[in-house]
Amino acid sequence: MKIEANRDVCIGAGNCVLAAEDVFDQDDEALVVVLEDQPSDDQAPAVRNAVAQCPSGALSLVEG
């Protein structure tokens, strides 16, 4: 799985960081920063939760 983040859509809610702090962070403008664009299998459930909890739809997953 690969994480894609659209920073133009991000509203800086921070739900992604709360769900998977090892994978996501926020910059000085509170916009999403992806730390691990290909998370490990152990991180996958938290990443899926982060994507589902994103209120702006800025995050998506590409399987494969």
Side-chain angles (χ1 to χ4, degrees), residues 15-16 19-21 23-24 41-52:
N15 292 359
C16 55
E21 64 183 16
V23 179
F24 300 101
D41 290 341
D42 291 343
Q43 295 168 322
V47 168
R48 290 183 198 285
N49 184 41
V51 171

Side-chain angles (χ1 to χ4, degrees), residues 8-62:
D8 293 330
V9 174
C10 179
I11 61 171
N15 292 359
C16 55
V17 178
L18 293 173
E21 64 183 16
D22 294 339
V23 179
F24 300 101
D25 200 355
Q26 290 176 287
D27 65 12
D28 292 338
E29 297 175 355
L31 298 179
V32 64
V33 175
V34 179
L35 302 174
E36 286 284 334
D37 68 346
Q38 293 185 331
S40 68
D41 290 341
D42 291 343
Q43 295 168 322
V47 168
R48 290 183 198 285
N49 184 41
V51 171
Q53 298 297 321
C54 180
S56 67
L59 300 175
S60 60
L61 295 176
V62 177

